[in-house]
Amino acid sequence: MDLRADSLTVAPALLGWTLTSQQGGEVVGGRIVEVEAYHGETDPASHAARGRTPRTAPMYAEGGVIYVYLSYGLHTCLNLVTGPAGEAQAVLVRALEPTIGLEAMTARRHLDGRPRLDSRLLTSGPGRVGQALGLTIADSGSRLGDVVSLTPPDTPLSPQLIHSGPRIGITRAADRPWRFWIAGNPFVTPPRV
DNA sequence: GAACCGATTGCCT
DNA sequence: GGCAATCGGTTCG
């Protein structure tokens, strides 16, 4: 996986890869099942659309670092920065199928003690992913392999399982089909109604 | 410097 | 379905 490639190429290619975090000595993570591509300063929905700021500075690095931002003052969301330096392209990780460190993620999500825990509450949704992985905005700009790592799938994902459609929750450029997910996977975020 | 808004989630009715 | 929580960035006065 060459993260220096275009985010529109990298985003669907990340589906099926395993994403782990080794924050605080706790290894947790899962299989990437849903992502969204953001395409630099020319993408009106991107945080980079208004240029470089202290917050968005990590997006301008060469692909291979992470960009973590605070959403609605509450939730940390994880992006993998892609593309050449200066392009400010990124891929938002919207959902994982949890596979590693379920207990630690359950604790981080404050879901301990639930009789019948729906595992989709762990990592289905960008804010949930950030919390389950133990990320804070202090981690923004760190290199891949530092707090967050990627591992390829054992067997490649069948291309026909990759579906795409409009990105979620944005008000600008809402028509661009830059959200990618694994068709039929239960951990993909359900449509908001 | 104040008001408003957002790549969200969880709890309420 | 509605709405509060909560804060950094952007916009407006």
Side-chain angles (χ1 to χ4, degrees):
Chain A
M1 170 79 53
D2 185 4
L3 289 177
R4 293 168 301 179
D6 193 280
S7 66
L8 294 176
T9 304
V10 172
L14 280 170
L15 295 174
W17 283 59
T18 292
L19 182 97
T20 57
S21 135
Q22 43 281 349
Q23 191 77 282
E26 202 88 66
V27 180
V28 303
R31 183 169 168 250
I32 300 174
V33 300
E34 181 183 357
V35 296
E36 282 177 3
Y38 288 85
H39 208 233
E41 293 189 342
T42 58
D43 177 0
S46 171
H47 288 171
R50 282 172 184 73
R52 184 179 186 133
T53 67
R55 176 178 67 146
T56 60
M59 298 182 81
Y60 287 79
E62 182 178 72
V65 305
I66 66 176
Y67 165 55
V68 181
Y69 71 94
L70 193 61
S71 175
Y72 290 88
L74 300 161
H75 307 107
T76 54
C77 301
L78 169 67
N79 290 257
L80 307 182
V81 175
T82 76
E87 287 283 312
Q89 297 180 10
V91 176
L92 171 70
V93 179
R94 284 194 55 88
L96 302 175
E97 176 177 333
T99 56
I100 304 168
L102 293 251
E103 288 182 17
M105 291 196 284
T106 303
R108 285 203 181 117
R109 294 269 304 117
H110 306 114
L111 297 169
D112 324 64
R114 293 224 179 172
R116 285 180 303 283
L117 173 62
D118 182 344
S119 55
R120 287 176 296 187
L121 290 175
L122 289 176
T123 51
S124 288
R128 291 168 175 170
V129 169
Q131 187 179 23
L133 298 187
L135 301 177
T136 72
I137 52 175
D139 299 311
S140 192
S142 65
R143 284 217 58 88
L144 214 54
D146 187 356
V147 299
V148 169
S149 305
L150 275 178
T151 316
D154 295 330
T155 58
L157 186 68
S158 167
Q160 57 204 23
L161 284 179
I162 301 179
H163 286 205
S164 67
R167 293 174 291 184
I168 292 181
I170 56 172
T171 54
R172 295 178 277 259
D175 55 321
R176 302 184 193 182
W178 290 349
R179 169 176 171 253
F180 304 89
W181 67 92
I182 298 180
N185 187 286
F187 294 92
V188 173
T189 58
R192 289 260 165 189
V193 206

